[in-house]
């Protein structure tokens, strides 16, 4: 059986190398009193997981921590309490420590359940390939999920060697910076090493999750950060820059310069999951403008005294940003409404009021009065 790097280097066999600190030690005290031992989950598959412990990486069964809520299932990055050595084969994970942060998205199923992608993450590196045209809307979506998770996002523009013109590259960086307020945007080439030292310094402390669509160069970037070929790599298609899912599970690796990295499979769908605060963070300039609107419930459409539409008219706010903001808020509202009966009722009442107002407007236009 092949384990991630964490089981193959003497340095990374310690809990400290995997992010163990005094806070985790304090949270683990009740489990230590039960004779359990701590470890960090480095991989999960088929009801079992690989856990990095003080004695090395061990295989453990997750049967005792399989709740009905998909957001509470054991995940790569979790800190676990498991049976001590000699307790039997397989050993069992008995509990997970409360998460500090969690990166979640909605699934593509009709039930729109949440799916946890990584736990206890400090940085979320969003890889965006420069081999294809930038999709700013997708970047905004990733950023909303990253901010909502509690992690600090970083946008990496991978394959920067494909844009040899420095001026052209600077324009691409500027385009992304306009949709990523408060986020570092870093052009990087795994082929030439450009930007790799900067990113290595950023991720040296804490836990980093690597995110992006297939073909964004995540596996190549993971190999560069780890310092050896821990992930297989396949070439992206020239026609659209898309790649195959070379990463099929989420794996945690200890980085040689400090910190740990969680690599994830390429995400075809990036659905929001209760990410209203994250959306607000991504579109902070719109929410700041909205505070100056005449009406507190302004929809930023045709209301008098709307500071948002005024900013669009004078060119300080791109209309695309407002359209994207509305789209993500509507999507998030639909997701939340599926599990919140009160919110469903509010949405239904708002829809009825909108329909009534629309019919009244049509009636007035036709007859010059309301019947």
């Amino acid at each position: 059986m092949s384990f991630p790097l964490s089981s193959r280097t003497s340095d990374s066999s310690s809990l400290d190398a995997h992010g163990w600190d005094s806070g985790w030690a304090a949270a683990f005290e009740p489990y230590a009193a039960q004779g359990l031992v701590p470890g960090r989950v480095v991989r999960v598959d088929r009801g079992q997981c690989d856990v990095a412990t003080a004695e090395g990486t061990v295989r453990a069964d997750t049967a005792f921590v399989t709740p009905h809520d998909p957001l509470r299932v054991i995940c790569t990055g979790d800190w676990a309490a498991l049976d001590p050595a000699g307790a039997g084969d397989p050993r069992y994970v008995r509990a997970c420590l409360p998460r500090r942060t969690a990166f979640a998205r909605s699934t593509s199923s009709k039930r729109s359940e949440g799916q946890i992608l990584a736990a206890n993450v400090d940085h979320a590196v969003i890889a965006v390939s420069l081999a294809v045209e930038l999709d700013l809307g997708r970047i905004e979506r990733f950023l909303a999920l990253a901010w909502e998770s509690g992690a600090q996002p970083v946008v990496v523009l991978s394959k920067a060697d494909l844009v040899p013109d420095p001026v052209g590259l600077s324009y691409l960086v500027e385009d992304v910076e306009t949709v990523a307020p408060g986020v570092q945007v870093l052009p990087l080439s795994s082929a030439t090493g450009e930007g790799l030292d900067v990113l290595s310094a950023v991720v040296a402390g804490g836990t980093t999750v690597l995110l992006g669509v297939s073909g964004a160069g995540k596996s190549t970037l993971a190999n560069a950060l780890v310092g050896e070929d821990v992930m297989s790599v396949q070439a992206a298609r020239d026609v659209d820059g898309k790649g195959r899912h070379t990463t099929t599970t989420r794996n945690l690796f200890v980085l040689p310069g400090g910190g740990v990295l969680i690599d994830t499979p390429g995400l075809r769908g990036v659905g929001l999951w209760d990410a209203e605060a994250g959306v607000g963070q991504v579109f902070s300039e719109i929410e700041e403008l909205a505070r100056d609107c005449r009406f507190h419930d302004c929809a930023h459409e045709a209301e008098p005294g709307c500071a948002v539409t005024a900013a669009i008219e004078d060119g300080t706010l791109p209309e695309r940003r407002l359209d994207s903001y509305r789209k993500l808020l509507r999507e998030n509202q639909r997701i939340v409404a599926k599990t919140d009966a009160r919110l469903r009722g509010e949405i239904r009442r708002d829809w009825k009021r909108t329909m009534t107002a629309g019919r009244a407007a049509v009636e007035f236009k036709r007859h010059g009065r309301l019947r």
Side-chain angles (χ1 to χ4, degrees), residues 105-107 112 137 141 144-145 269-276 279 323-338 343 347:
R105 66 164 180 172
S106 67
T107 65
S112 295
R141 182 178 291 271
L145 290 174
V270 194
L272 300 185
W273 180 260
D274 197 6
E276 183 176 355
V279 173
D323 291 341
S324 184
Y325 175 64
R326 288 170 172 160
K327 178 181 178 180
L328 292 183
L329 282 182
R330 286 195 301 267
E331 177 184 326
N332 189 72
Q333 189 178 51
R334 287 196 299 270
I335 291 295
V336 175
K338 291 183 178 181
L343 182 58
I347 293 174

PDB file of all heavy atoms in Angstrom, residues 105-107 112 137 141 144-145 269-276 279 323-338 343 347:
ATOM      1  N   ARG A 105     -18.644  22.614  -0.114  1.00  0.00           N
ATOM      2  CA  ARG A 105     -19.392  23.043  -1.300  1.00  0.00           C
ATOM      3  C   ARG A 105     -20.674  22.232  -1.349  1.00  0.00           C
ATOM      4  O   ARG A 105     -20.827  21.228  -0.635  1.00  0.00           O
ATOM      5  CB  ARG A 105     -18.587  22.811  -2.573  1.00  0.00           C
ATOM      6  CG  ARG A 105     -18.353  21.338  -2.859  1.00  0.00           C
ATOM      7  CD  ARG A 105     -17.916  21.077  -4.285  1.00  0.00           C
ATOM      8  NE  ARG A 105     -17.693  19.658  -4.522  1.00  0.00           N
ATOM      9  CZ  ARG A 105     -17.464  19.125  -5.701  1.00  0.00           C
ATOM     10  NH1 ARG A 105     -17.430  19.895  -6.786  1.00  0.00           N
ATOM     11  NH2 ARG A 105     -17.265  17.824  -5.849  1.00  0.00           N
ATOM     12  N   SER A 106     -21.613  22.637  -2.202  1.00  0.00           N
ATOM     13  CA  SER A 106     -22.808  21.823  -2.403  1.00  0.00           C
ATOM     14  C   SER A 106     -22.512  20.797  -3.484  1.00  0.00           C
ATOM     15  O   SER A 106     -21.734  21.047  -4.407  1.00  0.00           O
ATOM     16  CB  SER A 106     -24.007  22.696  -2.805  1.00  0.00           C
ATOM     17  OG  SER A 106     -23.804  23.265  -4.080  1.00  0.00           O
ATOM     18  N   THR A 107     -23.133  19.632  -3.358  1.00  0.00           N
ATOM     19  CA  THR A 107     -22.941  18.585  -4.350  1.00  0.00           C
ATOM     20  C   THR A 107     -23.798  18.882  -5.563  1.00  0.00           C
ATOM     21  O   THR A 107     -24.663  19.759  -5.560  1.00  0.00           O
ATOM     22  CB  THR A 107     -23.325  17.219  -3.781  1.00  0.00           C
ATOM     23  OG1 THR A 107     -24.741  17.208  -3.500  1.00  0.00           O
ATOM     24  CG2 THR A 107     -22.565  16.929  -2.495  1.00  0.00           C
ATOM     25  N   SER A 112     -28.892  18.466  -3.173  1.00  0.00           N
ATOM     26  CA  SER A 112     -28.051  19.613  -2.846  1.00  0.00           C
ATOM     27  C   SER A 112     -27.477  19.501  -1.443  1.00  0.00           C
ATOM     28  O   SER A 112     -27.590  20.416  -0.631  1.00  0.00           O
ATOM     29  CB  SER A 112     -28.850  20.916  -2.997  1.00  0.00           C
ATOM     30  OG  SER A 112     -29.211  21.114  -4.327  1.00  0.00           O
ATOM     31  N   GLY A 137     -15.861  34.835 -13.256  1.00  0.00           N
ATOM     32  CA  GLY A 137     -16.993  34.378 -12.462  1.00  0.00           C
ATOM     33  C   GLY A 137     -16.651  33.140 -11.647  1.00  0.00           C
ATOM     34  O   GLY A 137     -17.049  33.009 -10.486  1.00  0.00           O
ATOM     35  N   ARG A 141     -16.463  32.610  -7.516  1.00  0.00           N
ATOM     36  CA  ARG A 141     -17.155  31.499  -6.852  1.00  0.00           C
ATOM     37  C   ARG A 141     -16.200  30.772  -5.892  1.00  0.00           C
ATOM     38  O   ARG A 141     -16.543  30.480  -4.743  1.00  0.00           O
ATOM     39  CB  ARG A 141     -17.701  30.555  -7.922  1.00  0.00           C
ATOM     40  CG  ARG A 141     -18.496  29.379  -7.419  1.00  0.00           C
ATOM     41  CD  ARG A 141     -18.996  28.588  -8.616  1.00  0.00           C
ATOM     42  NE  ARG A 141     -20.002  29.346  -9.354  1.00  0.00           N
ATOM     43  CZ  ARG A 141     -21.294  29.300  -9.078  1.00  0.00           C
ATOM     44  NH1 ARG A 141     -21.737  28.532  -8.101  1.00  0.00           N
ATOM     45  NH2 ARG A 141     -22.151  30.008  -9.778  1.00  0.00           N
ATOM     46  N   ALA A 144     -15.525  32.935  -2.854  1.00  0.00           N
ATOM     47  CA  ALA A 144     -16.625  32.968  -1.891  1.00  0.00           C
ATOM     48  C   ALA A 144     -16.572  31.755  -0.966  1.00  0.00           C
ATOM     49  O   ALA A 144     -16.751  31.874   0.253  1.00  0.00           O
ATOM     50  CB  ALA A 144     -17.968  33.022  -2.625  1.00  0.00           C
ATOM     51  N   LEU A 145     -16.316  30.577  -1.535  1.00  0.00           N
ATOM     52  CA  LEU A 145     -16.215  29.376  -0.723  1.00  0.00           C
ATOM     53  C   LEU A 145     -15.008  29.437   0.197  1.00  0.00           C
ATOM     54  O   LEU A 145     -15.060  28.992   1.358  1.00  0.00           O
ATOM     55  CB  LEU A 145     -16.124  28.143  -1.624  1.00  0.00           C
ATOM     56  CG  LEU A 145     -17.395  27.776  -2.390  1.00  0.00           C
ATOM     57  CD1 LEU A 145     -17.114  26.630  -3.358  1.00  0.00           C
ATOM     58  CD2 LEU A 145     -18.511  27.387  -1.431  1.00  0.00           C
ATOM     59  N   GLY A 269     -17.780  21.053 -10.688  1.00  0.00           N
ATOM     60  CA  GLY A 269     -18.838  21.914 -10.171  1.00  0.00           C
ATOM     61  C   GLY A 269     -18.392  22.567  -8.877  1.00  0.00           C
ATOM     62  O   GLY A 269     -17.818  21.919  -8.018  1.00  0.00           O
ATOM     63  N   VAL A 270     -18.625  23.864  -8.758  1.00  0.00           N
ATOM     64  CA  VAL A 270     -18.240  24.592  -7.557  1.00  0.00           C
ATOM     65  C   VAL A 270     -19.487  25.271  -7.002  1.00  0.00           C
ATOM     66  O   VAL A 270     -19.672  26.480  -7.112  1.00  0.00           O
ATOM     67  CB  VAL A 270     -17.145  25.640  -7.850  1.00  0.00           C
ATOM     68  CG1 VAL A 270     -16.524  26.127  -6.549  1.00  0.00           C
ATOM     69  CG2 VAL A 270     -16.082  25.069  -8.764  1.00  0.00           C
ATOM     70  N   GLY A 271     -20.390  24.472  -6.430  1.00  0.00           N
ATOM     71  CA  GLY A 271     -21.638  25.007  -5.909  1.00  0.00           C
ATOM     72  C   GLY A 271     -21.446  25.625  -4.539  1.00  0.00           C
ATOM     73  O   GLY A 271     -20.698  25.118  -3.703  1.00  0.00           O
ATOM     74  N   LEU A 272     -22.113  26.751  -4.308  1.00  0.00           N
ATOM     75  CA  LEU A 272     -22.042  27.389  -3.001  1.00  0.00           C
ATOM     76  C   LEU A 272     -22.765  26.560  -1.958  1.00  0.00           C
ATOM     77  O   LEU A 272     -23.687  25.812  -2.270  1.00  0.00           O
ATOM     78  CB  LEU A 272     -22.668  28.789  -3.062  1.00  0.00           C
ATOM     79  CG  LEU A 272     -22.039  29.792  -4.027  1.00  0.00           C
ATOM     80  CD1 LEU A 272     -22.714  31.146  -3.865  1.00  0.00           C
ATOM     81  CD2 LEU A 272     -20.549  29.906  -3.808  1.00  0.00           C
ATOM     82  N   TRP A 273     -22.342  26.717  -0.709  1.00  0.00           N
ATOM     83  CA  TRP A 273     -23.031  26.042   0.388  1.00  0.00           C
ATOM     84  C   TRP A 273     -23.077  26.997   1.579  1.00  0.00           C
ATOM     85  O   TRP A 273     -22.116  27.167   2.299  1.00  0.00           O
ATOM     86  CB  TRP A 273     -22.346  24.732   0.783  1.00  0.00           C
ATOM     87  CG  TRP A 273     -23.056  24.046   1.907  1.00  0.00           C
ATOM     88  CD1 TRP A 273     -22.718  24.048   3.227  1.00  0.00           C
ATOM     89  CD2 TRP A 273     -24.261  23.280   1.813  1.00  0.00           C
ATOM     90  NE1 TRP A 273     -23.628  23.337   3.962  1.00  0.00           N
ATOM     91  CE2 TRP A 273     -24.591  22.847   3.119  1.00  0.00           C
ATOM     92  CE3 TRP A 273     -25.094  22.919   0.745  1.00  0.00           C
ATOM     93  CZ2 TRP A 273     -25.722  22.074   3.388  1.00  0.00           C
ATOM     94  CZ3 TRP A 273     -26.213  22.159   1.014  1.00  0.00           C
ATOM     95  CH2 TRP A 273     -26.513  21.738   2.315  1.00  0.00           C
ATOM     96  N   ASP A 274     -24.222  27.677   1.744  1.00  0.00           N
ATOM     97  CA  ASP A 274     -24.422  28.602   2.862  1.00  0.00           C
ATOM     98  C   ASP A 274     -23.233  29.553   2.969  1.00  0.00           C
ATOM     99  O   ASP A 274     -22.560  29.633   4.003  1.00  0.00           O
ATOM    100  CB  ASP A 274     -24.611  27.822   4.164  1.00  0.00           C
ATOM    101  CG  ASP A 274     -25.232  28.700   5.260  1.00  0.00           C
ATOM    102  OD1 ASP A 274     -25.605  29.845   4.950  1.00  0.00           O
ATOM    103  OD2 ASP A 274     -25.323  28.237   6.418  1.00  0.00           O
ATOM    104  N   ALA A 275     -22.989  30.276   1.886  1.00  0.00           N
ATOM    105  CA  ALA A 275     -21.772  31.094   1.796  1.00  0.00           C
ATOM    106  C   ALA A 275     -22.084  32.578   1.638  1.00  0.00           C
ATOM    107  O   ALA A 275     -21.369  33.300   0.947  1.00  0.00           O
ATOM    108  CB  ALA A 275     -20.916  30.609   0.624  1.00  0.00           C
ATOM    109  N   GLU A 276     -23.118  33.067   2.303  1.00  0.00           N
ATOM    110  CA  GLU A 276     -23.495  34.466   2.147  1.00  0.00           C
ATOM    111  C   GLU A 276     -22.388  35.408   2.604  1.00  0.00           C
ATOM    112  O   GLU A 276     -22.095  36.412   1.947  1.00  0.00           O
ATOM    113  CB  GLU A 276     -24.776  34.760   2.930  1.00  0.00           C
ATOM    114  CG  GLU A 276     -25.277  36.195   2.761  1.00  0.00           C
ATOM    115  CD  GLU A 276     -26.596  36.445   3.462  1.00  0.00           C
ATOM    116  OE1 GLU A 276     -27.180  35.481   4.000  1.00  0.00           O
ATOM    117  OE2 GLU A 276     -27.042  37.607   3.480  1.00  0.00           O
ATOM    118  N   VAL A 279     -19.650  35.444  -0.008  1.00  0.00           N
ATOM    119  CA  VAL A 279     -20.019  36.255  -1.173  1.00  0.00           C
ATOM    120  C   VAL A 279     -19.843  37.732  -0.854  1.00  0.00           C
ATOM    121  O   VAL A 279     -19.314  38.507  -1.658  1.00  0.00           O
ATOM    122  CB  VAL A 279     -21.470  35.954  -1.602  1.00  0.00           C
ATOM    123  CG1 VAL A 279     -21.911  36.918  -2.707  1.00  0.00           C
ATOM    124  CG2 VAL A 279     -21.600  34.513  -2.088  1.00  0.00           C
ATOM    125  N   ASP A 323     -23.829  41.793 -11.713  1.00  0.00           N
ATOM    126  CA  ASP A 323     -24.537  40.613 -12.211  1.00  0.00           C
ATOM    127  C   ASP A 323     -24.038  39.346 -11.504  1.00  0.00           C
ATOM    128  O   ASP A 323     -24.829  38.483 -11.116  1.00  0.00           O
ATOM    129  CB  ASP A 323     -24.340  40.472 -13.722  1.00  0.00           C
ATOM    130  CG  ASP A 323     -25.051  41.552 -14.506  1.00  0.00           C
ATOM    131  OD1 ASP A 323     -25.967  42.185 -13.946  1.00  0.00           O
ATOM    132  OD2 ASP A 323     -24.679  41.768 -15.671  1.00  0.00           O
ATOM    133  N   SER A 324     -22.742  39.233 -11.341  1.00  0.00           N
ATOM    134  CA  SER A 324     -22.175  38.064 -10.681  1.00  0.00           C
ATOM    135  C   SER A 324     -22.567  38.022  -9.213  1.00  0.00           C
ATOM    136  O   SER A 324     -22.880  36.951  -8.660  1.00  0.00           O
ATOM    137  CB  SER A 324     -20.647  38.077 -10.819  1.00  0.00           C
ATOM    138  OG  SER A 324     -20.071  36.916 -10.267  1.00  0.00           O
ATOM    139  N   TYR A 325     -22.566  39.163  -8.562  1.00  0.00           N
ATOM    140  CA  TYR A 325     -22.964  39.274  -7.156  1.00  0.00           C
ATOM    141  C   TYR A 325     -24.399  38.790  -6.967  1.00  0.00           C
ATOM    142  O   TYR A 325     -24.697  37.981  -6.081  1.00  0.00           O
ATOM    143  CB  TYR A 325     -22.816  40.737  -6.738  1.00  0.00           C
ATOM    144  CG  TYR A 325     -23.301  41.085  -5.348  1.00  0.00           C
ATOM    145  CD1 TYR A 325     -22.705  40.541  -4.220  1.00  0.00           C
ATOM    146  CD2 TYR A 325     -24.339  42.006  -5.175  1.00  0.00           C
ATOM    147  CE1 TYR A 325     -23.137  40.902  -2.944  1.00  0.00           C
ATOM    148  CE2 TYR A 325     -24.772  42.368  -3.919  1.00  0.00           C
ATOM    149  CZ  TYR A 325     -24.171  41.813  -2.804  1.00  0.00           C
ATOM    150  OH  TYR A 325     -24.594  42.164  -1.546  1.00  0.00           O
ATOM    151  N   ARG A 326     -25.299  39.274  -7.821  1.00  0.00           N
ATOM    152  CA  ARG A 326     -26.701  38.859  -7.736  1.00  0.00           C
ATOM    153  C   ARG A 326     -26.855  37.359  -7.980  1.00  0.00           C
ATOM    154  O   ARG A 326     -27.601  36.668  -7.277  1.00  0.00           O
ATOM    155  CB  ARG A 326     -27.535  39.632  -8.765  1.00  0.00           C
ATOM    156  CG  ARG A 326     -27.764  41.083  -8.432  1.00  0.00           C
ATOM    157  CD  ARG A 326     -28.380  41.793  -9.617  1.00  0.00           C
ATOM    158  NE  ARG A 326     -28.801  43.143  -9.310  1.00  0.00           N
ATOM    159  CZ  ARG A 326     -29.005  44.088 -10.216  1.00  0.00           C
ATOM    160  NH1 ARG A 326     -28.807  43.794 -11.508  1.00  0.00           N
ATOM    161  NH2 ARG A 326     -29.391  45.298  -9.859  1.00  0.00           N
ATOM    162  N   LYS A 327     -26.127  36.855  -8.963  1.00  0.00           N
ATOM    163  CA  LYS A 327     -26.224  35.435  -9.303  1.00  0.00           C
ATOM    164  C   LYS A 327     -25.811  34.554  -8.134  1.00  0.00           C
ATOM    165  O   LYS A 327     -26.504  33.582  -7.793  1.00  0.00           O
ATOM    166  CB  LYS A 327     -25.353  35.135 -10.526  1.00  0.00           C
ATOM    167  CG  LYS A 327     -25.337  33.672 -10.935  1.00  0.00           C
ATOM    168  CD  LYS A 327     -24.426  33.447 -12.136  1.00  0.00           C
ATOM    169  CE  LYS A 327     -24.376  31.972 -12.517  1.00  0.00           C
ATOM    170  NZ  LYS A 327     -23.482  31.754 -13.685  1.00  0.00           N
ATOM    171  N   LEU A 328     -24.692  34.878  -7.504  1.00  0.00           N
ATOM    172  CA  LEU A 328     -24.208  34.049  -6.409  1.00  0.00           C
ATOM    173  C   LEU A 328     -25.116  34.161  -5.189  1.00  0.00           C
ATOM    174  O   LEU A 328     -25.350  33.165  -4.491  1.00  0.00           O
ATOM    175  CB  LEU A 328     -22.782  34.440  -6.047  1.00  0.00           C
ATOM    176  CG  LEU A 328     -21.721  34.110  -7.098  1.00  0.00           C
ATOM    177  CD1 LEU A 328     -20.330  34.479  -6.593  1.00  0.00           C
ATOM    178  CD2 LEU A 328     -21.757  32.635  -7.494  1.00  0.00           C
ATOM    179  N   LEU A 329     -25.653  35.358  -4.927  1.00  0.00           N
ATOM    180  CA  LEU A 329     -26.580  35.502  -3.805  1.00  0.00           C
ATOM    181  C   LEU A 329     -27.848  34.699  -4.029  1.00  0.00           C
ATOM    182  O   LEU A 329     -28.363  34.050  -3.109  1.00  0.00           O
ATOM    183  CB  LEU A 329     -26.925  36.973  -3.586  1.00  0.00           C
ATOM    184  CG  LEU A 329     -25.893  37.831  -2.863  1.00  0.00           C
ATOM    185  CD1 LEU A 329     -26.417  39.255  -2.692  1.00  0.00           C
ATOM    186  CD2 LEU A 329     -25.542  37.243  -1.496  1.00  0.00           C
ATOM    187  N   ARG A 330     -28.388  34.729  -5.269  1.00  0.00           N
ATOM    188  CA  ARG A 330     -29.600  33.951  -5.567  1.00  0.00           C
ATOM    189  C   ARG A 330     -29.333  32.457  -5.415  1.00  0.00           C
ATOM    190  O   ARG A 330     -30.149  31.720  -4.853  1.00  0.00           O
ATOM    191  CB  ARG A 330     -30.086  34.260  -6.991  1.00  0.00           C
ATOM    192  CG  ARG A 330     -30.750  35.609  -7.161  1.00  0.00           C
ATOM    193  CD  ARG A 330     -31.518  35.678  -8.487  1.00  0.00           C
ATOM    194  NE  ARG A 330     -30.650  35.457  -9.631  1.00  0.00           N
ATOM    195  CZ  ARG A 330     -30.037  36.430 -10.319  1.00  0.00           C
ATOM    196  NH1 ARG A 330     -30.203  37.684  -9.942  1.00  0.00           N
ATOM    197  NH2 ARG A 330     -29.286  36.149 -11.364  1.00  0.00           N
ATOM    198  N   GLU A 331     -28.194  32.020  -5.927  1.00  0.00           N
ATOM    199  CA  GLU A 331     -27.858  30.602  -5.820  1.00  0.00           C
ATOM    200  C   GLU A 331     -27.723  30.180  -4.367  1.00  0.00           C
ATOM    201  O   GLU A 331     -28.242  29.137  -3.953  1.00  0.00           O
ATOM    202  CB  GLU A 331     -26.549  30.323  -6.558  1.00  0.00           C
ATOM    203  CG  GLU A 331     -26.084  28.870  -6.439  1.00  0.00           C
ATOM    204  CD  GLU A 331     -24.738  28.643  -7.084  1.00  0.00           C
ATOM    205  OE1 GLU A 331     -24.447  29.308  -8.108  1.00  0.00           O
ATOM    206  OE2 GLU A 331     -23.973  27.805  -6.577  1.00  0.00           O
ATOM    207  N   ASN A 332     -27.053  31.006  -3.591  1.00  0.00           N
ATOM    208  CA  ASN A 332     -26.868  30.665  -2.182  1.00  0.00           C
ATOM    209  C   ASN A 332     -28.202  30.642  -1.449  1.00  0.00           C
ATOM    210  O   ASN A 332     -28.444  29.784  -0.596  1.00  0.00           O
ATOM    211  CB  ASN A 332     -25.927  31.678  -1.531  1.00  0.00           C
ATOM    212  CG  ASN A 332     -25.522  31.271  -0.134  1.00  0.00           C
ATOM    213  OD1 ASN A 332     -24.750  30.333   0.055  1.00  0.00           O
ATOM    214  ND2 ASN A 332     -26.052  31.949   0.864  1.00  0.00           N
ATOM    215  N   GLN A 333     -29.073  31.567  -1.794  1.00  0.00           N
ATOM    216  CA  GLN A 333     -30.389  31.620  -1.156  1.00  0.00           C
ATOM    217  C   GLN A 333     -31.196  30.363  -1.469  1.00  0.00           C
ATOM    218  O   GLN A 333     -31.878  29.812  -0.599  1.00  0.00           O
ATOM    219  CB  GLN A 333     -31.142  32.863  -1.616  1.00  0.00           C
ATOM    220  CG  GLN A 333     -32.436  33.122  -0.851  1.00  0.00           C
ATOM    221  CD  GLN A 333     -33.126  34.385  -1.314  1.00  0.00           C
ATOM    222  OE1 GLN A 333     -33.350  34.572  -2.514  1.00  0.00           O
ATOM    223  NE2 GLN A 333     -33.464  35.267  -0.399  1.00  0.00           N
ATOM    224  N   ARG A 334     -31.114  29.880  -2.709  1.00  0.00           N
ATOM    225  CA  ARG A 334     -31.837  28.657  -3.076  1.00  0.00           C
ATOM    226  C   ARG A 334     -31.312  27.459  -2.289  1.00  0.00           C
ATOM    227  O   ARG A 334     -32.090  26.607  -1.835  1.00  0.00           O
ATOM    228  CB  ARG A 334     -31.692  28.391  -4.574  1.00  0.00           C
ATOM    229  CG  ARG A 334     -32.492  29.315  -5.460  1.00  0.00           C
ATOM    230  CD  ARG A 334     -32.605  28.755  -6.879  1.00  0.00           C
ATOM    231  NE  ARG A 334     -31.298  28.596  -7.498  1.00  0.00           N
ATOM    232  CZ  ARG A 334     -30.687  29.531  -8.223  1.00  0.00           C
ATOM    233  NH1 ARG A 334     -31.271  30.705  -8.395  1.00  0.00           N
ATOM    234  NH2 ARG A 334     -29.509  29.298  -8.773  1.00  0.00           N
ATOM    235  N   ILE A 335     -29.987  27.375  -2.129  1.00  0.00           N
ATOM    236  CA  ILE A 335     -29.400  26.258  -1.394  1.00  0.00           C
ATOM    237  C   ILE A 335     -29.852  26.279   0.058  1.00  0.00           C
ATOM    238  O   ILE A 335     -30.278  25.264   0.619  1.00  0.00           O
ATOM    239  CB  ILE A 335     -27.864  26.313  -1.476  1.00  0.00           C
ATOM    240  CG1 ILE A 335     -27.399  26.011  -2.901  1.00  0.00           C
ATOM    241  CG2 ILE A 335     -27.231  25.326  -0.504  1.00  0.00           C
ATOM    242  CD1 ILE A 335     -27.695  24.611  -3.374  1.00  0.00           C
ATOM    243  N   VAL A 336     -29.783  27.453   0.684  1.00  0.00           N
ATOM    244  CA  VAL A 336     -30.174  27.572   2.090  1.00  0.00           C
ATOM    245  C   VAL A 336     -31.658  27.296   2.260  1.00  0.00           C
ATOM    246  O   VAL A 336     -32.072  26.658   3.229  1.00  0.00           O
ATOM    247  CB  VAL A 336     -29.805  28.970   2.630  1.00  0.00           C
ATOM    248  CG1 VAL A 336     -30.318  29.151   4.055  1.00  0.00           C
ATOM    249  CG2 VAL A 336     -28.297  29.171   2.589  1.00  0.00           C
ATOM    250  N   ALA A 337     -32.459  27.748   1.298  1.00  0.00           N
ATOM    251  CA  ALA A 337     -33.908  27.582   1.406  1.00  0.00           C
ATOM    252  C   ALA A 337     -34.323  26.116   1.411  1.00  0.00           C
ATOM    253  O   ALA A 337     -35.365  25.757   1.973  1.00  0.00           O
ATOM    254  CB  ALA A 337     -34.609  28.321   0.269  1.00  0.00           C
ATOM    255  N   LYS A 338     -33.533  25.262   0.806  1.00  0.00           N
ATOM    256  CA  LYS A 338     -33.883  23.846   0.761  1.00  0.00           C
ATOM    257  C   LYS A 338     -33.829  23.188   2.133  1.00  0.00           C
ATOM    258  O   LYS A 338     -34.405  22.130   2.350  1.00  0.00           O
ATOM    259  CB  LYS A 338     -32.972  23.102  -0.219  1.00  0.00           C
ATOM    260  CG  LYS A 338     -33.230  23.477  -1.672  1.00  0.00           C
ATOM    261  CD  LYS A 338     -32.376  22.672  -2.628  1.00  0.00           C
ATOM    262  CE  LYS A 338     -32.697  23.026  -4.076  1.00  0.00           C
ATOM    263  NZ  LYS A 338     -31.899  22.250  -5.044  1.00  0.00           N
ATOM    264  N   LEU A 343     -37.135  30.434   5.540  1.00  0.00           N
ATOM    265  CA  LEU A 343     -36.615  31.175   4.399  1.00  0.00           C
ATOM    266  C   LEU A 343     -37.389  30.835   3.134  1.00  0.00           C
ATOM    267  O   LEU A 343     -37.646  31.703   2.298  1.00  0.00           O
ATOM    268  CB  LEU A 343     -35.133  30.873   4.206  1.00  0.00           C
ATOM    269  CG  LEU A 343     -34.432  31.626   3.068  1.00  0.00           C
ATOM    270  CD1 LEU A 343     -34.564  33.131   3.272  1.00  0.00           C
ATOM    271  CD2 LEU A 343     -32.967  31.239   2.985  1.00  0.00           C
ATOM    272  N   ILE A 347     -39.145  33.607   0.681  1.00  0.00           N
ATOM    273  CA  ILE A 347     -38.907  33.679  -0.763  1.00  0.00           C
ATOM    274  C   ILE A 347     -40.220  33.588  -1.521  1.00  0.00           C
ATOM    275  O   ILE A 347     -40.451  34.308  -2.497  1.00  0.00           O
ATOM    276  CB  ILE A 347     -37.944  32.555  -1.200  1.00  0.00           C
ATOM    277  CG1 ILE A 347     -36.551  32.791  -0.612  1.00  0.00           C
ATOM    278  CG2 ILE A 347     -37.870  32.464  -2.719  1.00  0.00           C
ATOM    279  CD1 ILE A 347     -35.581  31.672  -0.880  1.00  0.00           C
TER     280      ILE A 347
END
